[in-house]
Amino acid sequence: VARPRVFSGIQPTADSFHLGNYLGALREWVVMQEDHETFYCVVDLHAITVAQDPELLRQRTRLSAAQLLAVGIDPDRSTLFVQSHVAEHAQLSWVLECQTGFGEAGRMTQFKDKSARQEAEHVGVGLFTYPALMAADILLYQADQVPVGEDQRQHLELTRNLAQRFNARFGRTFRVPSAHIPKETAKIYDLQDPTSKMSKSIPAGVVELLEDPKRSAKKIRSAVTDTGREIHYDPENKPGVSNLLVIYSALTGRSIADLESAYEGRGYGDLKKELGQVMLEFVTPFQEKVRGYLDDPAELDKILRRGAEHAREIAASTLRTVYDRIGF
Ligand code: ADP
Ligand code: NA
């Protein structure tokens, strides 16, 4: 029996992934390797929809791949590759752009949000056509499932529409993918503002996987909580404490209820100090593995080359069919 095929990508736009990326996405990627045929991609083409520094982009692409390996993406079980190494992504993207309505693309809320924050003349066309590239990423591999966060749902819906539209116009070509709603994911909030999600744009409230764990412990100690004393999971009234409990539970596998009783009669200080220790124990072996890959660039290159070769076989086969169908 063929395992369901999964595609997911992550942008190399920061020096380090943060705890939200790990607990909200990457941890599930690792789990999915067990019973899915998984394609995981560092999406560097997407990363140039905003201004980039070439040397930094190159570094961050490698760092991203090293971090994916270090969290447990196994290159013998998953196809791990860099998007720009497989030219078919850009090629299919053009074809899909020509199937996408201008109004349809203009309704994408991510485009509206991101472009609203910039001067019109600095907003590139690539930011507008980004969802067609994302659709190409997914459809090239005939993915059955795409793990998506809330923020990517609308883009996945567009991907499904494009697949159905193309199939209707030109004959069945693409598998129509569905959203995979992960069982194991947590939404992680900013430590300084526990009502907004942890995101690289607010540094003080973001725990980075590659930072010194002492720095993470310090951020956790200064996390915003509330004036109460009880360690209870209550996201509505105690968002700060609840966020810390979610992180603690996700990193240790202990249930929230178990943590609540373990911390009964103890203060926020204890919880924060011990969560700092949990973080240290989690990131120490992770950081060692990342260092290992960075110290052996030939090995990392080999893994990514092998990933791209396998990805390209499938991508090229899909693109051949597409070109044939549209009359090339
Ligand atoms: P950011 O939100 O920092 O810009 P991305 O948008 O690149 O990060 O997110 C990469 C992946 O990590 C996505 O699947 C996204 O849903 C997930 N993710 C990002 N931040 C969080 C968070 N705070 N909690 C849970 N998942 C998150
Ligand atoms: Na995002």
Side-chain angles (χ1 to χ4, degrees):
V1 171
R3 293 167 300 162
R5 196 176 273 175
V6 165
F7 178 92
S8 200
I10 190 152
Q11 291 199 53
T13 43
D15 292 329
S16 173
F17 292 142
H18 58 69
L19 211 44
N21 298 140
Y22 176 61
L23 297 177
L26 306 181
R27 192 173 55 142
E28 180 73 9
W29 288 19
V30 175
V31 172
M32 292 189 91
Q33 299 179 118
E34 305 286 340
D35 46 10
H36 296 76
E37 186 187 358
T38 42
F39 288 77
Y40 295 135
C41 185
V42 179
V43 291
D44 55 349
L45 297 179
H46 286 280
I48 68 165
T49 53
V50 292
Q52 89 285 5
D53 173 272
E55 208 36 61
L56 206 53
L57 177 59
R58 212 183 323 275
Q59 256 177 42
R60 287 172 167 177
T61 300
R62 298 181 67 79
L63 261 172
S64 299
Q67 290 178 87
L68 292 175
L69 292 162
V71 295
I73 301 303
D74 175 355
D76 290 327
R77 288 200 288 179
S78 288
T79 302
L80 174 66
F81 67 107
V82 174
Q83 190 183 25
S84 65
H85 296 182
V86 181
E88 284 80 0
H89 289 253
Q91 293 175 290
L92 180 59
S93 181
W94 172 250
V95 173
L96 294 177
E97 279 170 43
C98 296
Q99 306 299 320
T100 308
F102 190 83
E104 188 176 34
R107 283 193 293 277
M108 296 295 115
T109 55
Q110 181 172 296
F111 171 73
K112 288 196 275 190
D113 293 348
K114 288 195 174 173
S115 58
R117 284 187 247 126
Q118 295 171 57
E119 302 278 342
E121 59 267 39
H122 296 308
V123 178
V125 172
L127 196 63
F128 187 65
T129 58
Y130 181 113
L133 179 58
M134 178 171 154
D137 298 340
I138 296 164
L139 299 180
L140 271 178
Y141 300 97
Q142 307 287 354
D144 298 290
Q145 292 174 19
V146 183
V148 278
E150 209 45 59
D151 52 347
Q152 293 298 325
R153 236 170 230 288
Q154 196 187 23
H155 289 165
L156 185 67
E157 206 42 54
L158 179 66
T159 301
R160 290 168 50 83
N161 290 339
L162 287 172
Q164 282 158 345
R165 186 175 308 158
F166 191 98
N167 288 347
R169 282 185 187 161
F170 301 106
R172 173 134 185 86
T173 306
F174 297 120
R175 198 171 294 170
V176 181
S178 47
H180 167 78
I181 314 298
K183 303 185 271 295
E184 279 281 318
T185 57
K187 183 165 180 188
I188 306 301
Y189 294 90
D190 188 276
L191 297 182
Q192 288 301 315
D193 172 11
T195 59
S196 68
K197 73 164 202 169
M198 185 177 283
S199 161
K200 51 202 168 252
S201 45
I202 326 174
V206 176
V207 176
E208 295 190 343
L209 301 187
L210 287 176
E211 74 190 359
D212 183 342
K214 288 199 202 85
R215 195 176 150 80
S216 302
K218 199 169 156 218
K219 288 178 184 173
I220 292 167
R221 274 201 311 277
S222 352
V224 168
T225 43
D226 55 71
T227 54
R229 306 176 46 89
E230 305 250 311
I231 297 174
H232 266 316
Y233 180 74
D234 178 358
E236 185 100 356
N237 300 304
K238 295 165 99 54
V241 172
S242 301
N243 189 37
L244 296 179
L245 284 170
V246 166
I247 295 170
Y248 201 136
S249 166
L251 288 176
T252 58
R254 292 172 66 179
S255 72
I256 303 258
D258 176 32
L259 292 171
E260 283 173 333
S261 55
Y263 281 98
E264 208 175 320
R266 300 169 68 200
Y268 295 163
D270 289 339
L271 174 70
K272 288 173 166 180
K273 191 166 146 249
E274 285 159 29
L275 180 55
Q277 185 61 29
V278 163
M279 193 61 205
L280 173 84
E281 279 159 28
F282 169 70
V283 298
T284 302
F286 165 81
Q287 292 184 355
E288 254 163 52
K289 285 184 202 145
V290 170
R291 223 170 291 122
Y293 286 110
L294 297 180
D295 288 346
D296 190 354
E299 174 64 13
L300 187 57
D301 283 339
K302 199 175 93 190
I303 290 170
L304 294 176
R305 203 177 325 115
R306 195 153 56 90
E309 276 165 15
H310 182 239
R312 198 180 308 119
E313 281 172 27
I314 297 162
S317 150
T318 302
L319 189 72
R320 264 195 304 276
T321 308
V322 168
Y323 273 18
D324 181 56
R325 296 274 153 88
I326 56 180
F328 289 166

